[in-house]
């Protein structure tokens, strides 16, 4: 077979022809299309690096230089009801639950533990902690409402209805917060009457298994960094339900807690409902500290797939854009664009891109953690593996419509609601 080499034409683009006995093949690849694609990729890369820069600025302003308490009379602080939904025994559960009793808050605090099953072993832990703090207003509520498929909403509803205060702090049972978290949060609410939600970024700590290290590497770098940047830009609601403060009356005005029982991602839907009704969101410089409790690689993969599939039906555009926030794919595309437009060596550009990304992630973690990890070697290894697994897990997640949560399988509908599968 004889081949005629391809030739370039400044006006027409790139042409080529292959000849074979009795046949000829011709292709025409316009240069302008690949140029536009390369410039578009560089714009996306610049946008992502801007978000990384914003996250480091927020880290410095809010977390490294944490806001001090506001000097105001104690009687100006409203009562707060802390709702802690419990199901089973969590890792370091006594430590996490006890943090609610150690808040340095001048106003009255009510603590409600919500449990479905009267035989749940978490009840004994909650009662043990209540006994340690006899002066605290705390009690365990047992029972289950059935207002939808979301087990967390079904469990919390009794506490929501019986709360004595309008200001609620929903805090998962596996979350530990610093003693000043509540006061700093309420200070923000008192300073800005249009604030409707205070939330705290999830921060994984003390991993014991390699799977937990993978989850830790995700939560304390990529997730935490993007969470801070997106909330700093503030163009839409972006929150997780691990640790949130909002007004019960505001939630009643958008349908009440029960109306969100039809969604699996009730935290996201509550945030969007309050946002669209005019309540803005913000964060303090406090962390929702979560013990890394993943024991196997399968459990880690299942959790990441569940997160992506849940977001796909609630924040669709952001979910499909997500691969472009990951280092390896964006690094490869950026390297190709630089080679195509400026004839840089692709491998050199990709190596530089990854080293810069890695270095900024390590700096980000060190500063928000306030020090080194338990082992830099294992942390770096888990970071590398997490980055390599991100796109394959996203691809698996994006083509499915079912998730497993607490032993129950659910199927999503396009409107974000779900059905329970038997």
């Amino acid at each position: 077979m004889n081949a005629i080499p391809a030739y370039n034409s400044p006006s027409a683009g790139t042409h080529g022809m292959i000849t074979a006995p009795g046949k000829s093949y011709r292709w025409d690849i316009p240069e302008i299309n690949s140029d536009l694609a390369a410039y578009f990729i560089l714009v996306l890369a610049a946008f992502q690096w801007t978000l990384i820069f914003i996250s480091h600025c927020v880290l410095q302003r809010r977390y490294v230089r944490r806001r001090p308490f506001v000097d105001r009379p104690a009687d100006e602080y409203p009562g707060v009801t802390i709702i802690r939904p419990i199901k089973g025994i969590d890792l370091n559960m006594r430590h996490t639950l006890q943090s609610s009793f150690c808040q340095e808050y001048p106003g009255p605090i009510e603590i409600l533990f919500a449990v479905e099953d009267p035989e749940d072993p978490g009840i004994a832990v909650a009662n043990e902690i209540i006994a340690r703090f006899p002066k605290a207003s705390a009690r365990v509520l047992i029972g289950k409402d059935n207002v939808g498929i979301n087990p967390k909403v079904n469990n919390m509803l009794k506490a929501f209805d019986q709360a004595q205060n309008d200001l609620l702090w929903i805090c998962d049972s596996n979350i530990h917060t610093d003693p000043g978290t509540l006061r700093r949060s309420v200070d923000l609410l008192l300073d800005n009457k249009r604030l409707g939600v205070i939330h705290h970024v999830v921060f994984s700590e003390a991993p014991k298994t390699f799977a937990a290290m993978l989850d830790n590497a995700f939560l304390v770098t990529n997730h935490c960094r993007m969470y801070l940047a997106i909330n700093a830009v503030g163009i839409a609601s972006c929150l997780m339900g691990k640790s949130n403060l909002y007004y019960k009356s505001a939630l009643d005005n958008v349908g009440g807690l029960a109306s969100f029982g039809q969604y699996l991602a009730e935290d996201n839907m509550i945030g969007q409902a309050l946002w669209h009704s005019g309540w803005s969101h913000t964060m303090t410089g406090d962390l929702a500290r979560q013990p890394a409790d993943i024991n196997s690689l399968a459990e880690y993969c299942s959790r990441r797939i569940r997160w992506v599939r849940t977001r796909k039906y609630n924040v669709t555009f952001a979910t499909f854009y997500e691969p472009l926030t990951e280092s390896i794919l964006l690094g490869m595309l950026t390297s190709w664009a630089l080679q195509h437009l400026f004839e840089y060596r692709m491998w050199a550009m990709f190596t530089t891109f990854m080293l810069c990304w890695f270095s900024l992630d390590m700096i980000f973690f060190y500063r928000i953690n306030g020090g080194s990890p338990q082992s830099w070697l294992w942390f770096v290894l888990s970071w590398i593996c997490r980055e390599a697994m991100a796109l394959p897990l996203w691809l698996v997640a994006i083509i499915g419509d079912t998730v497993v949560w607490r032993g129950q399988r659910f199927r999503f509908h396009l409107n974000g609601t779900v059905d329970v599968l038997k």
Side-chain angles (χ1 to χ4, degrees):
M1 179 176 69
N2 298 320
I4 301 177
Y7 61 91
N8 294 327
S9 168
S11 60
T14 301
H15 306 276
M17 180 176 291
I18 296 178
T19 60
K23 295 182 180 180
S24 64
Y25 304 91
R26 177 186 175 88
W27 69 86
D28 187 351
I29 307 174
E31 283 284 346
I32 189 171
N33 288 349
S34 55
D35 286 351
L36 283 176
Y39 281 118
F40 181 68
I41 289 170
L42 292 184
V43 170
L44 293 179
F47 174 70
Q48 185 59 32
W49 283 107
T50 300
L51 290 180
I52 292 175
F53 174 76
I54 290 173
S55 71
H56 280 262
C57 291
V58 174
L59 173 62
Q60 173 65 25
R61 177 175 58 86
R62 183 179 292 156
Y63 292 87
V64 176
R65 299 176 179 175
R66 195 155 63 175
R67 169 181 169 142
F69 293 149
V70 176
D71 185 14
R72 56 166 51 96
D75 58 6
E76 292 186 12
Y77 285 90
V80 178
T81 296
I82 302 175
I83 298 178
R84 289 276 204 164
I86 293 176
K87 185 177 178 60
I89 300 295
D90 296 307
L91 184 63
N92 297 337
M93 191 171 183
R94 289 175 176 82
H95 177 65
T96 57
L97 295 183
Q98 186 170 304
S99 66
S100 293
F101 292 81
C102 300
Q103 292 299 308
E104 299 169 353
Y105 184 69
I109 297 177
E110 175 190 35
I111 303 174
L112 301 179
F113 296 106
V115 190
E116 287 182 357
D117 186 355
E119 302 299 323
D120 194 305
I123 295 175
V125 178
N127 283 328
E128 175 188 325
I129 297 173
I130 291 173
R132 293 182 190 172
F133 298 88
K135 295 182 179 180
S137 175
R139 53 201 170 111
V140 178
L141 304 178
I142 303 173
K144 177 181 178 181
D145 296 286
N146 190 12
V147 296
I149 54 80
N150 188 304
K152 183 177 177 180
V153 171
N154 290 337
N155 186 19
M156 286 197 305
L157 191 59
K158 54 186 173 291
F160 184 85
D161 291 338
Q162 297 183 40
Q164 297 178 3
N165 302 296
D166 188 41
L167 185 54
L168 307 178
W169 183 8
I170 311 299
C171 191
D172 282 3
S173 59
N174 64 341
I175 292 298
H176 168 267
T177 53
D178 292 339
T181 301
L182 180 56
R183 183 170 178 176
R184 276 185 288 268
S185 300
V186 176
D187 279 339
L188 289 177
L189 290 172
L190 294 177
D191 289 343
N192 185 349
K193 299 302 181 182
R194 292 311 303 162
L195 274 177
V197 179
I198 304 293
H199 54 123
H200 311 109
V201 66
V202 177
F203 190 81
S204 174
E205 57 185 10
K208 302 299 183 185
T209 66
F210 186 66
M213 292 178 187
L214 291 174
D215 196 54
N216 174 256
F218 167 70
L219 287 174
V220 302
T221 57
N222 178 283
H223 173 76
C224 190
R225 170 169 40 79
M226 289 298 296
Y227 197 84
L228 297 191
I230 293 171
N231 277 284
V233 174
I235 59 175
S237 171
C238 175
L239 62 85
M240 287 183 63
K242 287 289 186 179
S243 178
N244 298 163
L245 280 84
Y246 45 73
Y247 295 104
K248 179 181 178 182
S249 56
L251 193 56
D252 285 336
N253 289 335
V254 293
L257 180 62
S259 66
F260 297 94
Q262 61 183 318
Y263 303 104
L264 204 58
E266 87 295 333
D267 50 358
N268 178 271
M269 302 307 293
I270 288 173
Q272 290 191 42
L274 293 173
W275 178 276
H276 292 305
S277 65
W279 292 102
S280 59
H281 306 354
T282 194
M283 305 162 66
T284 68
D286 298 286
L287 303 173
R289 299 180 180 274
Q290 171 181 295
D293 58 350
I294 295 182
N295 296 314
S296 68
L297 184 60
E299 185 180 355
Y300 168 77
C301 294
S302 177
R303 180 176 291 188
R304 294 279 72 78
I305 290 171
R306 185 178 78 242
W307 276 31
V308 173
R309 286 184 182 168
T310 301
R311 291 197 303 272
K312 180 175 71 170
Y313 292 97
N314 291 279
V315 282
T316 305
F317 175 79
T319 305
F320 279 93
Y321 181 79
E322 186 176 309
L324 294 174
T325 69
E326 297 287 355
S327 61
I328 295 178
L329 178 60
L330 186 61
M332 293 176 65
L333 292 173
T334 303
S335 304
W336 169 82
L338 292 171
Q339 181 188 57
H340 177 79
L341 294 172
F342 308 110
E343 298 184 354
Y344 294 131
R345 293 182 178 179
M346 186 172 176
W347 67 267
M349 291 298 96
F350 179 73
T351 302
T352 303
F353 184 100
M354 292 300 299
L355 285 175
C356 291
W357 192 291
F358 167 79
S359 299
L360 287 174
D361 265 5
M362 296 303 105
I363 293 171
F364 184 92
F365 167 76
Y366 183 87
R367 298 180 73 207
I368 198 169
N369 187 57
S372 301
Q374 295 171 317
S375 166
W376 274 115
L377 176 63
W378 281 105
F379 184 71
V380 170
L381 179 61
S382 60
W383 183 90
I384 294 171
C385 293
R386 206 296 303 180
E387 297 292 312
M389 294 171 65
L391 184 58
L393 287 176
W394 182 88
L395 290 171
V396 171
I398 211 70
I399 60 176
D401 62 355
T402 63
V403 297
V404 177
W405 185 34
R406 291 187 178 273
Q408 180 67 63
R409 183 175 293 274
F410 302 90
R411 170 166 287 138
F412 281 95
H413 299 293
L414 292 177
N415 64 356
T417 59
V418 296
D419 289 332
V420 179
L421 300 180
K422 301 299 184 182

